Amino acid sequence: MAKSSHDMTRGNILIHIIRYAIPMILGNYLQLTYNLADSVIISKFLGENSLAACSASNPVMTLMILGASGLGMGASIIMARLYGGKEYGKLKREFASTFLFGIIFSMAVFITGFILADKILIWINTPAEILKEASLYLRIMFVGFLFTFQYNIMSHSLRGIGNSSMPVVFLGISCGLNILMDLLFIAVFKMGVMGAGLATVIAEAISVGACMLYIYGRVDLLKLTTKDMHIDRPLLKQTLALGSVTALQQAAQPVGKIFIQSAINAQGVITIGAFNAVCRVDDFACIPAQSIGSGIMTCTAQNRGAGDKNRVKAAISKGLLVALCYFPIIFTLVMLLKGPLMVFLTPPGSFEMIAMGVEYLSVKAWIFVLACIVNAIQGFARGVGKMHISLISTILQIGIRAILVFIFVPRFGIVAEAYACAIGWIIQAVYEYGYFIVTRKKLEMSIGKQGD
C-alpha cells in the first residue's frame, strides 16, 4: 500500500503538499508542451485548413473533458476523505460506482456525439470549407472520449489516495505515443486529420490500458473483482453532486474567457497576437499554483476524513505558505525573461506586439501572488466539500474581470486585462476567505462527518 498510495494524515504537511504537487506540475507542463507540438505537426504537414478543422472541435472537446474531470474530482475528494478515515471498503465501492457510471455515461456521449457531429459543428458556426474534415475529426474524438473519461476517473482516484506520480507516467506515455503516431500517420502515411485523430485515440487507449494494469497489479485499494462491480447509489449521488458543481466551476473560466477574447479581438490583429502570447506565459506560470491547490485539496480531504481538525487547519496555512514561496520564483523569472519570451512567441519584427506583451507581463508578474492565494483557498474549499463556494467565487471573478475588460481594454490596451484579472482575483479571495471566517465554527463541527 505504501508504494501505491500516500497517507497525508501523518507526517509533515509541508512535505506532503510539495511531494504531491511536483508530479502534477510536471504533468501539466507535459500536457501544454504536447498541445503545442500537436498543433505544430498538424500545421506543418497538413496546412491551415486542417489545423482549423481540428481546432473547430476544441469547444466541444473542452466541454467533454470538463465533464470527465469534474466527475473525477468529485470522486477524488470522496476517496481522499474515505482514505483518511481508513474506510477502505467504502473507498473501493466509490471507485467501482464511479468507474461503472463512467462506462455508461461515456457510451451515451459517444453514441450521441457520433450521430450528431455534423449538426454540432454547424451549431458552433464551423466554416463550410472545413466542415467535412472537422466532422471526421470530431467523430474520432467522440470514440476517444470512451478512454478519456476512464483516464480521468482512474487518475483522479489515484490522486485521491495520495498517488499523484503515476498519473503523470501514464500521461507521459499518452503524450509521447501521440506525437510519434502523429508523425507516423500524418507525415509518413499521409492520413490527414483522420491520422491525427487516430493517433490521439490509440495513445489514450494504450495509456488507459497501462493505468488499469497498474491499478490491478499494484493498488489493492482500487483493485476491483466481479463482486465489486455494482453501483452504490448513495455514493454515486454524492459524487455527481460534487462533480457537477466542479464541472460548472471549471466551465465558468473558459466561458468567461470567450467574452474576454471577443473584447481583445475587437482591438485588432496586433493586440490579438500580443494577448495570445502572454496567455501562453500565463498558462505556464499558473500551473504550479494550481497544482499546489490540488495538493491542499487532497491533504485537507484526507485529514477531514480522519477527523483531525488541527491538521485540516494546518493544510490551508502550510499549503498557502508553499504557494507564496512559489511567487518570488515566478515573479523573478517573468521579470527577467519577459522580453525574450515575447520575441520567441511572436512573429519576427513584431515590435509593437512585443512592446504590448512586455508591458502586460510587467504588471502580471506582480499579480501572480493573487493566483497563489486564490488557488490555495480554492483547494481548501474543495477539500472540505464546499464546492459551491468555488463555483460562486469563480463566477464572480470571471464575470467582473470580463466586464472590466470590455470597459477598459479599448481605452488602455491589454494591460487593462491584467489589472482586471487582479481585481477579479482579489474579489474571489475575499469572498472565499470571508465565507470560511464566518462559518469556521460550523465547519469545525463537520470535520469527520461523511455525508455533508
Side-chain angles (χ1 to χ4, degrees):
M1 186 184 297
K3 292 182 180 179
S4 60
S5 60
H6 181 192
D7 188 350
M8 297 184 177
T9 62
R10 294 173 293 179
N12 190 304
I13 288 177
L14 276 171
I15 300 300
H16 285 321
I17 292 173
I18 293 170
R19 177 181 168 185
Y20 185 97
I22 288 174
M24 288 199 69
I25 293 169
L26 295 175
N28 285 321
Y29 280 153
L30 182 64
Q31 185 68 59
L32 284 177
T33 303
Y34 158 70
N35 289 341
L36 179 61
D38 191 49
S39 296
V40 169
I41 292 170
I42 294 171
S43 176
K44 181 175 178 61
F45 291 101
L46 299 180
E48 292 182 358
N49 276 8
S50 294
L51 179 62
C54 295
S55 299
S57 301
N58 284 344
V60 182
M61 291 163 59
T62 297
L63 288 175
M64 293 193 301
I65 292 170
L66 287 174
S69 178
L71 185 67
M73 188 174 292
S76 175
I77 293 166
I78 293 172
M79 289 184 196
R81 196 170 64 194
L82 295 172
Y83 179 76
K86 306 296 186 289
E87 297 184 67
Y88 300 136
K90 199 171 182 181
L91 188 154
K92 184 175 286 191
R93 294 203 303 276
E94 165 64 15
F95 177 61
S97 299
T98 310
F99 180 80
L100 292 172
F101 175 80
I103 293 174
I104 298 168
F105 181 76
S106 59
M107 281 295 297
V109 171
F110 156 64
I111 293 169
T112 304
F114 198 87
I115 294 171
L116 298 178
D118 289 335
K119 288 185 172 58
I120 291 170
L121 288 167
I122 292 171
W123 291 337
I124 60 175
N125 297 317
T126 303
E129 62 267 28
I130 63 170
L131 184 60
K132 185 176 180 180
E133 278 190 305
S135 178
L136 173 62
Y137 185 79
L138 182 56
R139 282 193 168 94
I140 296 172
M141 288 300 98
F142 275 115
V143 175
F145 184 65
L146 297 170
F147 305 109
T148 300
F149 202 101
Q150 290 306 327
Y151 170 77
N152 273 276
I153 297 302
M154 289 187 285
S155 62
H156 277 96
S157 298
L158 287 170
R159 291 181 185 128
I161 60 175
N163 186 340
S164 61
S165 299
M166 290 310 297
V168 177
V169 173
F170 302 122
L171 179 62
I173 292 171
S174 178
C175 291
L177 287 173
N178 206 333
I179 291 173
L180 290 174
M181 284 189 286
D182 267 344
L183 292 169
L184 180 65
F185 294 161
I186 295 172
V188 179
F189 295 158
K190 311 296 183 183
M191 295 174 66
V193 297
M194 182 174 73
L198 288 176
T200 299
V201 172
I202 294 170
E204 287 179 346
I206 292 172
S207 178
V208 168
C211 190
M212 291 180 71
L213 287 173
Y214 171 77
I215 288 175
Y216 187 80
R218 299 289 299 275
V219 190
D220 289 342
L221 288 173
L222 304 179
K223 183 177 178 180
L224 300 179
T225 62
T226 51
K227 69 177 182 180
D228 298 313
M229 291 297 185
H230 65 275
I231 291 177
D232 185 313
R233 291 188 179 181
L235 282 174
L236 181 61
K237 184 178 179 180
Q238 288 183 50
T239 304
L240 293 176
L242 292 175
S244 59
V245 176
T246 302
L248 286 173
Q249 182 259 325
Q250 291 179 320
Q253 284 284 14
V255 169
K257 286 182 178 179
I258 290 173
F259 288 100
I260 291 171
Q261 187 67 54
S262 69
I264 298 294
N265 290 349
Q267 310 312 307
V269 173
I270 293 175
T271 303
I272 294 170
F275 186 68
N276 287 341
V278 297
C279 282
R280 290 190 183 185
V281 177
D282 190 59
D283 287 341
F284 274 88
C286 288
I287 278 175
Q290 294 164 358
S291 300
I292 292 166
S294 294
I296 294 169
M297 179 192 78
T298 301
C299 187
T300 300
Q302 285 193 15
N303 284 289
R304 182 185 176 218
D308 194 328
K309 297 179 182 180
N310 291 329
R311 286 183 69 86
V312 168
K313 293 178 183 177
I316 179 59
S317 60
K318 294 186 177 181
L320 185 57
L321 176 62
V322 175
L324 291 175
C325 285
Y326 165 69
F327 168 66
I329 299 172
I330 192 58
F331 172 80
T332 303
L333 287 173
V334 171
M335 293 300 283
L336 289 175
L337 300 176
K338 57 189 177 183
L341 284 170
M342 285 305 302
V343 171
F344 176 73
L345 292 169
T346 56
S350 305
F351 301 114
E352 187 178 354
M353 197 179 291
I354 292 169
M356 280 186 185
V358 167
E359 181 186 17
Y360 179 97
L361 292 174
S362 297
V363 174
K364 196 63 175 284
W366 294 93
I367 298 170
F368 287 130
V369 67
L370 296 172
C372 297
I373 294 170
V374 165
N375 279 283
I377 300 174
Q378 199 162 78
F380 179 75
R382 290 170 174 167
V384 295
K386 305 300 180 183
M387 314 300 285
H388 65 288
I389 300 304
S390 290
L391 173 61
I392 295 169
S393 65
T394 299
I395 292 173
L396 280 173
Q397 178 263 129
I398 198 66
I400 291 168
R401 179 177 167 187
I403 292 169
L404 292 175
V405 165
F406 268 94
I407 295 172
F408 293 109
V409 164
R411 302 179 188 179
F412 303 106
I414 62 170
V415 71
E417 198 280 337
Y419 288 109
C421 184
I423 293 169
W425 276 343
I426 289 170
I427 290 171
Q428 183 176 12
V430 169
Y431 176 83
E432 291 176 343
Y433 186 73
Y435 173 85
F436 288 116
I437 288 295
V438 171
T439 64
R440 64 185 184 278
K441 290 184 179 179
K442 183 178 179 181
L443 181 62
E444 287 180 10
M445 292 176 62
S446 75
I447 293 173
K449 295 180 180 179
Q450 300 299 311
D452 52 331

